[in-house]
Structure formats: C-alpha cells, structure tokens
Amino acid sequence: MIPYLSQPQFHLGPITIHAFGVLVATGILLAFRIIRMRAAATGLDPVLAERLAMRMVIIGFISAHVFDQIAYYPREVLANPLRLLYIWQSISSFGGILGGTLVAVWFVKRQVRGAQGWRYLDLLAYAFPFAWVFGRAGCAFAFDHPGYETKFFLAEVYTDHVVRHNLGLDEMLLTVPLVLLFWRLGRGKPRAPGFFVGLIAVVYAPIRFLLDTLRWDDARYFGFTPGQYSSIALLVLGVVVLYWASKRATTE
C-alpha cells in the first residue's frame, strides 16, 4: 500500500504550479523533440510535423474538456452550458484523442494527402507513448483516477482514507512496455504508412477498457463508462487502419 501523496506544488508569486501540469508539459516537449528528430531522419519536414502536432495539442485540450463535461457531467451542462467554456477545468483523455483524430482527418484530406500524410501521422503516433508516460505520471500524483477498494500492493490511500487503485499509476506503468515496443519497432525496417497509428490504437484500447472496469466514481451508461465505449471505437478504428496499412504494404 502506498500512502496518499498530495500533489507537489510550486509557487511563483500568485501562480501555483502543480506537478500534474509540469509532467504533462514535459511529456509534450519530449514528444515535440522526438517528432522533430524522427522527421529529419525519415525525410519529412520537421516544421510541418510540429505544426500538425501543435494543432492536435490545442484542439485536443479543448475537445478533452468538452467531451469530459458532456460525457461525465451531462446534467450539470444542461443546467449551465457555460461549463463547456471552462477549459481550464477537468479533461478527458479520450476527448483529447477525439480532437486529435479530427485534426488528423483534416490533415490527410486537405493538407498532405495519401500515404505521405499518413507518414506524418505515424510520426505523432510513434511519439505518443513517450509523452503518455509523463501524462499518466501527472495523473498518478494528482490521484484523479481512483479505483475500487483493493489490497493490490500498488494501491494508495485515497482522500476518503480508503485504499484504492491509483489507475493513473497503473496506466503509467503499463505504458512503459509500450514505449519499449515502439522504440524497438522504430529502429527496424520502414513500416507501411499508418502502421504506428493503427498499432497505438489497437494496443492502448484494451488496456484502457480493462482499467476502466476498476473505475470507482465514473459515470456509467448501461454498465460501461464513456472510456470503455471510446476504447471499443478506438479498437475498431485501429484494426481498420492496420488492415489498410498492411494492404498498402503488400501492394507496394
């Protein structure tokens, strides 16, 4: 059992900086660094890749909040629709993924079409697990994803003094092997366009679906959380993209 650790805070005058924000920012900066280096190494335009990543981050943070409010607090939104504009409040990771996906669709339809566009998307998908480790480390510190009561040795005493799963910590630890897998695959032979996009979806979706079964205070619709429905949709999307990538690789 891990004792409850209040989120470290740093004060710069009137501004309070939380460990969650620092770790998320670190993950984003690391992802940009990886994208820049890998773009240069694979013959893609680093500037274009970074612009795409920046659009995904901005739209992703906005959609993360909107999705969170609609999926988890529908009654509160109906009572006060202005909650949708408070983007500095709670966010949902799948909301961010949805926003990023919309930007990706726009990119391959309008900016860089065809296989070349998918190569840019692969850059971002490859960097995702590296950044996700830091993002989920922030969630672990904030303990913003409490699970059911348990005797699991990595559980933590929550603010209600009950020993619960720290699902942010669990997901962070499960992401580490994913980082190693992507690092290894990224060093091998060139992959078909769309390979890393499909792979990250297919691998992450089951992990998230299973972890959400341990959620304690999440909204549920017909027995499943919004994250579990989103996991199913992400898995289907990943399978379709991987199939498309394999067909393209066979053709080439």
Side-chain angles (χ1 to χ4, degrees):
M1 182 187 71
I2 304 173
Y4 178 76
L5 302 174
S6 59
Q7 186 178 182
Q9 300 178 358
F10 310 92
H11 299 280
L12 294 176
I15 301 175
T16 301
I17 301 175
H18 297 276
F20 175 83
V22 173
L23 287 166
V24 170
T26 301
I28 292 174
L29 291 175
L30 175 62
F32 271 76
R33 177 65 175 170
I34 293 172
I35 290 168
R36 187 183 309 116
M37 293 176 59
R38 192 166 176 81
T42 55
L44 299 177
D45 184 355
V47 176
L48 180 58
E50 287 184 333
R51 287 177 178 172
L52 171 60
M54 182 58 70
R55 289 189 178 100
M56 282 189 166
V57 169
I58 294 173
I59 299 300
F61 269 111
I62 296 173
S63 63
H65 172 71
V66 173
F67 181 90
D68 175 83
Q69 293 297 301
I70 294 175
Y72 293 95
Y73 308 101
R75 293 181 180 177
E76 290 83 347
V77 170
L78 288 175
N80 179 21
L82 290 178
R83 287 174 61 99
L84 296 176
L85 302 179
Y86 305 156
I87 60 174
W88 57 87
Q89 292 184 353
S90 57
I91 58 176
S92 165
S93 56
F94 269 116
I97 292 173
L98 175 62
T101 300
L102 294 177
V103 175
V105 171
W106 165 81
F107 182 78
V108 296
K109 290 290 186 179
R110 299 299 182 111
Q111 291 292 102
V112 181
R113 298 186 178 185
Q116 190 71 352
W118 281 97
R119 290 190 176 94
Y120 279 96
L121 297 182
D122 271 340
L123 275 178
L124 276 63
Y126 176 85
F128 179 83
F130 297 86
W132 202 243
V133 169
F134 287 91
R136 282 314 188 195
C139 293
F141 271 113
F143 206 164
D144 55 0
H145 299 304
Y148 288 115
E149 183 177 356
T150 181
K151 294 182 179 180
F152 184 51
F153 75 102
L154 288 177
E156 185 175 340
V157 179
Y158 191 54
T159 53
D160 59 1
H161 308 295
V162 176
V163 180
R164 300 186 181 279
H165 287 284
N166 186 337
L167 298 177
L169 175 63
D170 295 342
E171 190 169 322
M172 181 198 73
L173 295 176
L174 290 172
T175 305
V176 173
L178 189 57
V179 168
L180 298 177
L181 173 65
F182 271 53
W183 176 78
R184 178 66 183 86
L185 293 175
R187 291 169 57 88
K189 64 180 181 180
R191 306 289 171 175
F195 173 79
F196 284 108
V197 174
L199 182 62
I200 189 63
V202 167
V203 174
Y204 177 69
I207 293 175
R208 179 60 186 274
F209 186 93
L210 292 174
L211 286 177
D212 263 35
T213 63
L214 301 175
R215 289 286 182 106
W216 165 54
D217 61 346
D218 263 18
R220 279 181 164 78
Y221 303 94
F222 303 104
F224 296 99
T225 68
Q228 288 178 308
Y229 287 111
S230 300
S231 296
I232 295 172
L234 183 64
L235 179 61
V236 172
L237 178 62
V239 170
V240 171
V241 173
L242 275 182
Y243 175 76
W244 175 84
S246 65
K247 292 287 288 184
R248 176 175 289 276
T250 302
T251 302
E252 292 180 355

